[in-house]
Structure formats: structure tokens, C-alpha cells
Amino acid sequence: MDSLNYFHDSCITGLTYSSSTYVDETDLSMVMGTNPVVKLIIQRQADSLTTLEFCLEGVTHLCIIHNDLNMSSEIQEANLCYKNGNFH
């Protein structure tokens, strides 16, 4: 996190979610996915590591709060921590 300056002056430029759940075409049954994946693309105002792509597997919660389009959307600071076998 130090080398990324805690994502200061960064922004999320892309985000996709795949539940890995699908409908089987032969019998139209729902096949429940067990490996949801979030792909997150972040760009930084920096000389190095300007674009970062994260592929997060096994995501159980995702919360992004930014609903005021009249405000700037850059990230001021973010943290990732590893606790009890999970990233938060």
C-alpha cells in the first residue's frame, strides 16, 4: 500500500462482476456458481503503476458508495488488509 500511496489520486475506471451462476440450456435448470469474481481497474496519477487491474475471486461483499455526480470521484485513500483468511 505504501508503494501505491494508498491509492491517493486514483479513480476506478472499470468494474465487472461475474456470479458464475448460469442457466443450463438443456434443461433450463439454474446452476449455482461457487466462485464469484470481481474485476476492478484503477488508474493512478503517478509515474509508475499507472493502471492496476485486480481480479478478486470468491467475493462475498462489495460496497462502493459514490452517488453524488456533482462531486469529484477520485480516491483519497484506501486500504486492503488480510484478516482471518480474507481481504478487507
Side-chain angles (χ1 to χ4, degrees):
M1 294 304 297
D2 286 334
S3 64
L4 297 174
N5 197 23
Y6 294 85
F7 296 105
H8 181 74
D9 286 338
S10 300
C11 61
I12 296 172
T13 59
L15 175 75
T16 60
Y17 170 77
S18 173
S19 68
S20 76
T21 296
Y22 64 94
V23 175
D24 186 296
E25 292 181 10
T26 55
D27 64 1
L28 301 179
S29 63
M30 184 76 62
V31 179
M32 300 304 291
T34 58
N35 190 32
V37 175
V38 171
K39 291 185 181 178
L40 177 66
I41 300 172
I42 295 176
Q43 287 187 320
R44 304 174 56 235
Q45 289 180 313
D47 293 331
S48 64
L49 297 172
T50 57
T51 301
L52 306 166
E53 183 173 349
F54 295 89
C55 183
L56 310 168
E57 297 181 349
V59 174
T60 58
H61 294 81
L62 176 67
C63 180
I64 296 178
I65 299 174
H66 181 64
N67 57 0
D68 188 345
L69 298 177
N70 294 317
M71 293 181 63
S72 176
S73 60
E74 79 265 10
I75 299 168
Q76 297 298 321
E77 182 177 339
N79 288 296
L80 291 174
C81 65
Y82 188 72
K83 181 178 178 183
N84 299 327
N86 295 301
F87 283 98
H88 300 269

